[in-house]
Amino acid sequence: MKLKNSVFYGFLLSAFLMASMPSFSQANKTSKELISNNINNYFLMDRENIHVQFNKDVFFTSEDIWFKGYVYNRKTKTPFKVTTNVFLSLIGENGTKIKDQLVYAQNGSFSGNFEADSSLKSGTYYIQVYTNWMNNFAESEAFIQKIQILNKKDSEFAGVDTPAGSPVVAFHPEGGQLVQGTSSVLGIRIQDCNNQVTSVTEAGIFNSKGEQVKKVFIDKSGYGKFDLPWGEEQYILRYNFDGKGFEKPLPKAQTRGFALDVNNYSLPGKTLVNLSSNKETMRTLNGEDIYLVVHQDDNSAIFDVKLDPETLKQQLVFSNAELSEGVNTLRLVDGKLNQLAERLIFQPIEQNTEAALKVTKHAKDSVTISGAPGNNMNLSISVLPGESIASRESSGIFSSFLLHPYVNEKVWHNNYVFSNPTKAEHYELDLFLLNQKSGKYTWKNIMTNAPVDTYKFDLGVQIKGSLNPTLKNFEDHRIQLFSVTSDIDEATKANKNREFYFDNLILADSSWINLGVYDKRNMLVKTSVFPEVINGKGKYVHAFQPKLVSCNELVEKKTFALPAFAEEFVQLDEVELQGRKVEQFEHQNDSGNRNLTAFKVSERDESMYRDVLQFIEANSTFTVENSQGRVSIFSRQSSTISSARVTPIVYLNNIQLFDLSILSVMRMYEVAEVYINAQAIVASVRNNIGIVKIYTKAGYVTAAKDGVVPFQVVNGFAIQKPFENSFYYSTSDRGFKNFGLVHWIPTVLTNDEGKIEFQAPKLGQEDLRVRIEGFAADGTLISEERNITVN
């Protein structure tokens, strides 16, 4: 299929023209104008953000990893519908890339699966998801998911049940610095060396005399904060853990800087920014203008800062209407465009999306679950046993689109704080943002390093080829690419280097296309072409490198029972057909043929005097229609996509046939072997089911063979398979309850009333854990996980 991309090219052209406007001298522009222009230029190009829901987080070797992805346009806050090419990489815990996959996205979403190979060792792995367009940016916009893969040879899974070793303490001054002579806020993070929460719930701040001057409460995620009037005093943090006392010196205050105290959750609709500094700082600035810049991407507001000359303090109050939904960055900037302080805050979204899932019907082998997520929603659903521990690392779609694009630490999993939170919930998220060392987008890059569209926005597969050097007058020839199964019939000409290109093609991996070279008389020329797919392997400039953390102290580990998989015990001997062994089939090892039923024709066979079409109909479930030499072959099963009749792919000597009329005159005495599978999954983006492959005897030459070059696509789009669950010996044992999968539904669309209904198999579970995620056409998000009682 050829992509229609005029809409996208219009968008890209407008962006290019804006970026290419003459750059006038900036000497005459005010600092505010320079700040605004640089922010706009840095975020001019659209950025994709991706969220992927997996069926679970813990997998076993030879088990399929199922996924559904969502692509989000940060500017419009809606599905990024023009994205088509998405790459997935499986990465080991040492950063080694294990496998890649190219997935086709349509209307802002994609789905698929890949197998955890049996050769993989038990351990931690990562899945990185990205596009070629993301290579244009200094920051990594890729989605990262941490998973566990367990080799089936292992009898147990050992997970850390309690914090690993002594707590690790980190301090983060609000705005970036503690300033002498001011009351500055200091954030605290107390977690273990694996960034997991500990049992520490409070700590004390002590002065040099051993007196406690503050008590600090640590929330359930390990974060806290407090404020003090800072001078030259050296303070110490003290806390108790596991019956032992720990302490750590606080950082010393600096002689210059600005202290921030930002709050957008206490007063309805208002953001308060308290600024303070000292005389040494103001002396250094020497009257330089100061601005408070508030922005999310290119949406910005700039406020003048005028500290009281006596107190060197100021409180700015502005409406939350100046904020964008999600993470906003506040930066204090001087007139020379130097950043003085930075703070991230969050503006909640205003939506009330809840699936309200409940069991509405019971059948012998399944339950029907209904809900009402909202209108025009594209969803994915994972169903696990109610006691499952196989989904622990996943963060939700809210985090992926509203939070993670702006922070460097992906550790937040609490979806409830994003939409209409209480003050306490908003405060919880604010503590997390306060304890970030810095945001993802550095001020230096924004001021000096605007992105350039060096890497193109991939729209489908690109094929590059070259013509045989011996072909004379190659300028007068055209190259024709055609494939009925992929609905392609394109022509192009070679450039001066004898190279030719076909762009924006939707081609499934391992599918076949045909290339022919025609002269100016429209005659097929017998010559060589050398094609290849050049954009099917993803290369990402921000290769993911896991942070290797080694905890010196490891506490007790807890082991978990594993599910028992129903492996195949009996392997059948190879089938013998017509008294001949399989090894005598010449083409049985050709690509894809081992999954087809093989027929070998000998001179003793009565069928050799029949025509080929009769043979195909007699030995398959296909229906053949032959009207005056115009041949069609149809499956007898109905289409699951539309009312169109289903057709197979037909090959003659490994060349795909697009006109089947040649079969109307072919007899079986011309044929050596036939391979048929009427239910085969076809590498095609069209509604094809089934394969027929015909191989003629030596010396028989078809018209298709003379000049047409067949080409099997390598590194095309991964084929989307229908979901098929693993086979378990038991679904009632502890292993299945821990790590088993009940059901996976990659795509559920709400009806006209905003409702959904789906079935989940009954596998003896009293409770099901259902996770539903997705988005609507208008950008509404949903991420919900709840346990549902089946009985």
Side-chain angles (χ1 to χ4, degrees):
M1 183 171 64
K2 178 83 169 181
L3 276 171
K4 308 296 183 183
N5 45 42
S6 58
V7 174
F8 172 74
Y9 281 149
F11 141 74
L12 198 59
L13 178 61
S14 64
F16 173 77
L17 291 175
M18 290 177 68
S20 305
M21 289 180 179
S23 179
F24 298 104
S25 170
Q26 305 210 3
N28 296 325
K29 291 187 177 181
T30 67
S31 296
K32 279 188 177 181
E33 289 175 322
L34 290 174
I35 290 171
S36 179
N37 288 345
N38 285 335
I39 289 175
N40 288 337
N41 288 337
Y42 196 79
F43 294 101
L44 175 66
M45 294 163 54
D46 281 24
R47 299 190 187 223
E48 306 151 294
N49 285 124
I50 294 175
H51 172 72
V52 182
Q53 180 185 1
F54 292 87
N55 57 317
K56 53 180 183 170
D57 301 331
V58 180
F59 302 91
F60 295 84
T61 50
S62 301
E63 191 175 22
D64 280 338
I65 299 172
W66 300 90
F67 58 84
K68 169 70 173 288
Y70 301 89
V71 191
Y72 193 67
N73 187 322
R74 284 246 297 274
K75 284 191 175 182
T76 64
K77 292 182 170 24
T78 58
F80 208 128
K81 295 186 177 181
V82 296
T83 298
T84 60
N85 295 35
V86 178
F87 295 99
L88 283 83
S89 295
L90 178 65
I91 299 170
E93 60 184 352
N94 60 354
T96 302
K97 186 183 290 188
I98 297 170
K99 65 168 61 176
D100 290 302
Q101 190 177 96
L102 173 62
V103 185
Y104 178 61
Q106 190 172 26
N107 294 323
S109 68
F110 57 90
S111 62
N113 70 293
F114 57 90
E115 185 182 56
D117 296 337
S118 59
S119 61
L120 295 177
K121 297 180 179 179
S122 295
T124 299
Y125 293 82
Y126 300 86
I127 297 173
Q128 185 178 45
V129 188
Y130 58 93
T131 68
N132 188 54
W133 181 254
M134 291 180 182
N135 284 312
N136 290 305
F137 306 110
E139 307 82 13
S140 175
E141 303 289 359
F143 174 88
I144 301 291
Q145 176 67 47
K146 178 181 176 181
I147 65 172
Q148 298 287 333
I149 295 180
L150 309 178
N151 195 294
K152 289 182 179 179
K153 296 178 181 178
D154 296 337
S155 59
E156 295 177 324
F157 168 59
V160 178
D161 191 44
T162 52
S166 303
V168 178
V169 178
F171 299 111
H172 299 96
E174 185 164 9
Q177 60 254 318
L178 300 175
V179 184
Q180 289 185 8
T182 70
S183 179
S184 301
V185 177
L186 182 63
I188 299 178
R189 181 178 67 185
I190 303 180
Q191 298 173 339
D192 70 14
C193 71
N194 287 317
N195 295 324
Q196 302 299 317
V197 297
T198 69
S199 59
V200 179
T201 58
E202 65 178 53
I205 307 299
F206 293 82
N207 61 21
S208 58
K209 298 178 181 180
E211 301 168 334
Q212 181 170 328
V213 296
K214 280 280 185 178
K215 178 183 284 189
V216 186
F217 294 100
I218 308 301
D219 72 7
K220 60 186 178 183
S221 298
Y223 300 105
K225 73 172 183 178
F226 68 95
D227 67 296
L228 280 176
W230 296 90
E232 296 183 357
E233 176 71 65
Q234 176 65 67
Y235 296 101
I236 295 176
L237 174 79
R238 290 175 178 166
Y239 61 93
N240 293 317
F241 173 74
D242 199 21
K244 299 178 182 178
F246 294 84
E247 63 179 41
K248 183 172 183 176
L250 270 60
K252 290 186 176 181
Q254 301 177 10
T255 57
R256 292 190 296 269
F258 284 83
L260 294 184
D261 183 1
V262 184
N263 181 327
N264 70 320
Y265 49 82
S266 293
L267 292 180
K270 300 291 183 182
T271 296
L272 282 67
V273 181
N274 290 300
L275 300 143
S276 59
S277 188
N278 58 26
K279 291 182 179 180
E280 177 64 19
T281 303
M282 303 313 292
R283 185 190 64 80
T284 304
L285 286 173
N286 194 26
E288 192 75 53
D289 290 334
I290 305 172
Y291 308 100
L292 178 68
V293 181
V294 183
H295 76 101
Q296 182 191 90
D297 298 343
D298 56 344
N299 296 319
S300 64
I302 304 175
F303 302 93
D304 292 309
V305 173
K306 300 292 182 184
L307 299 185
D308 183 279
E310 296 296 328
T311 64
L312 299 182
K313 295 180 180 180
Q314 182 183 3
Q315 184 180 74
L316 287 171
V317 182
F318 56 85
S319 169
N320 285 350
E322 300 286 354
L323 302 175
S324 301
E325 290 184 340
V327 174
N328 295 257
T329 306
L330 279 66
R331 305 178 192 268
L332 205 61
V333 179
D334 67 21
K336 295 179 181 178
L337 308 188
N338 297 308
Q339 179 171 293
L340 307 174
E342 177 185 347
R343 171 74 151 92
L344 303 178
I345 62 174
F346 189 87
Q347 176 64 13
I349 61 176
E350 296 182 4
Q351 68 171 54
N352 290 296
T353 303
E354 197 171 288
L357 299 175
K358 59 183 179 180
V359 174
T360 54
K361 296 178 185 177
H362 283 271
K364 288 184 178 180
D365 58 351
S366 66
V367 293
T368 298
I369 301 173
S370 301
N375 293 326
N376 300 314
M377 298 210 77
N378 179 1
L379 309 165
S380 47
I381 299 172
S382 177
V383 185
L384 302 174
E387 302 172 55
S388 176
I389 57 173
S391 181
R392 301 179 297 175
E393 298 290 345
S394 294
S395 59
I397 198 170
F398 288 100
S399 293
S400 294
F401 292 158
L402 302 179
L403 179 63
H404 292 152
Y406 302 97
V407 299
N408 291 310
E409 298 180 20
K410 183 182 177 182
V411 295
W412 195 265
H413 308 310
N414 303 329
N415 289 327
Y416 58 83
V417 302
F418 297 109
S419 177
N420 298 315
T422 64
K423 285 185 181 180
E425 291 168 347
H426 195 165
Y427 175 76
E428 183 182 345
L429 178 53
D430 191 68
L431 271 182
F432 167 76
L433 292 174
L434 167 62
N435 281 281
Q436 298 297 299
K437 187 175 181 180
S438 64
K440 181 191 290 187
Y441 302 99
T442 67
W443 186 246
K444 180 180 179 181
N445 276 341
I446 292 174
M447 290 296 102
T448 62
N449 191 27
V452 180
D453 56 345
T454 304
Y455 296 87
K456 68 177 184 177
F457 197 107
D458 279 344
L459 289 169
V461 166
Q462 183 183 39
I463 289 180
K464 175 186 176 181
S466 59
L467 294 176
N468 193 319
T470 62
L471 180 64
K472 297 180 180 180
N473 301 319
F474 71 91
E475 304 90 343
D476 297 330
H477 294 69
R478 78 174 192 277
I479 302 94
Q480 196 84 19
L481 182 152
F482 48 95
S483 170
V484 171
T485 57
S486 299
D487 192 22
I488 297 172
D489 188 2
E490 295 289 325
T492 190
K493 287 202 169 187
N495 60 26
K496 63 181 180 180
N497 297 320
R498 292 179 176 263
E499 297 173 341
F500 60 87
Y501 295 86
F502 289 96
D503 300 322
N504 313 129
L505 305 176
I506 304 301
L507 293 171
D509 192 45
S510 301
S511 62
W512 287 85
I513 60 174
N514 293 276
L515 293 163
V517 179
Y518 295 82
D519 61 21
K520 58 184 178 181
R521 297 173 300 166
N522 204 33
M523 298 296 293
L524 184 63
V525 177
K526 190 172 183 179
T527 187
S528 299
V529 293
F530 308 96
E532 62 176 333
V533 174
I534 63 173
N535 66 335
K537 293 284 286 184
K539 294 181 180 180
Y540 194 43
V541 297
H542 302 288
F544 178 68
Q545 187 62 45
K547 294 181 180 179
L548 298 178
V549 179
S550 178
C551 296
N552 294 326
E553 306 171 63
L554 293 177
V555 296
E556 179 184 359
K557 286 186 177 181
K558 182 178 179 180
T559 57
F560 300 94
L562 306 183
F565 293 91
E567 305 288 353
E568 292 184 36
F569 281 98
V570 180
Q571 182 172 351
L572 298 177
D573 292 334
E574 291 184 313
V575 179
E576 294 185 4
L577 296 175
Q578 301 177 0
R580 298 173 183 265
K581 292 184 178 180
V582 171
E583 289 83 357
Q584 293 181 339
F585 281 88
E586 181 181 354
H587 298 281
Q588 80 167 52
N589 292 321
D590 288 9
S591 177
N593 285 1
R594 294 189 67 85
N595 295 322
L596 311 179
T597 302
F599 301 89
K600 194 167 189 73
V601 181
S602 72
E603 295 181 358
R604 295 191 298 272
D605 293 331
E606 296 180 0
S607 62
M608 67 176 297
Y609 296 103
R610 300 163 62 187
D611 65 56
V612 170
L613 294 176
Q614 289 175 333
F615 182 88
I616 293 172
E617 192 167 37
N619 291 278
S620 70
T621 58
F622 292 125
T623 299
V624 175
E625 296 181 2
N626 184 0
S627 177
Q628 297 180 343
R630 299 185 62 180
V631 176
S632 299
I633 300 176
F634 300 102
S635 172
R636 294 173 189 171
Q637 65 186 77
S638 60
S639 168
T640 58
I641 298 177
S642 66
S643 59
R645 300 180 73 180
V646 180
T647 60
I649 298 178
V650 181
Y651 296 91
L652 181 59
N653 295 326
N654 280 334
I655 307 255
Q656 186 180 327
L657 294 181
F658 308 106
D659 180 356
L660 304 184
S661 59
I662 190 173
L663 301 182
S664 66
V665 295
M666 184 177 292
R667 299 294 181 264
M668 289 301 294
Y669 60 78
E670 301 171 300
V671 174
E673 296 173 7
V674 180
Y675 295 79
I676 300 175
N677 187 337
Q679 285 79 38
I681 297 174
V682 176
S684 167
V685 294
R686 298 186 65 188
N687 187 25
N688 296 103
I689 298 177
I691 296 176
V692 178
K693 289 189 174 183
I694 303 167
Y695 296 90
T696 59
K697 294 177 179 177
Y700 183 85
V701 180
T702 69
K705 214 173 184 181
D706 190 13
V708 174
V709 178
F711 171 62
Q712 188 171 28
V713 176
V714 178
N715 299 322
F717 289 107
I719 303 169
Q720 293 187 20
K721 298 195 306 183
F723 169 70
E724 184 177 352
N725 205 352
S726 299
F727 292 98
Y728 301 93
Y729 277 127
S730 171
T731 59
S732 60
D733 61 13
R734 174 51 56 187
F736 180 81
K737 292 178 181 179
N738 285 340
F739 300 108
L741 174 66
V742 176
H743 199 38
W744 166 251
I745 310 173
T747 301
V748 178
L749 305 177
T750 55
N751 62 20
D752 293 339
E753 298 177 344
K755 297 179 179 180
I756 59 170
E757 184 177 271
F758 61 94
Q759 284 74 43
K762 282 185 176 179
L763 299 179
Q765 308 302 308
E766 294 183 0
D767 293 291
L768 298 176
R769 182 180 301 175
V770 180
R771 181 164 191 162
I772 180 171
E773 292 202 302
F775 55 22
D778 64 358
T780 300
L781 307 176
I782 185 171
S783 180
E784 185 176 327
E785 180 173 302
R786 63 172 57 191
N787 277 33
I788 297 177
T789 300
V790 174
N791 298 324

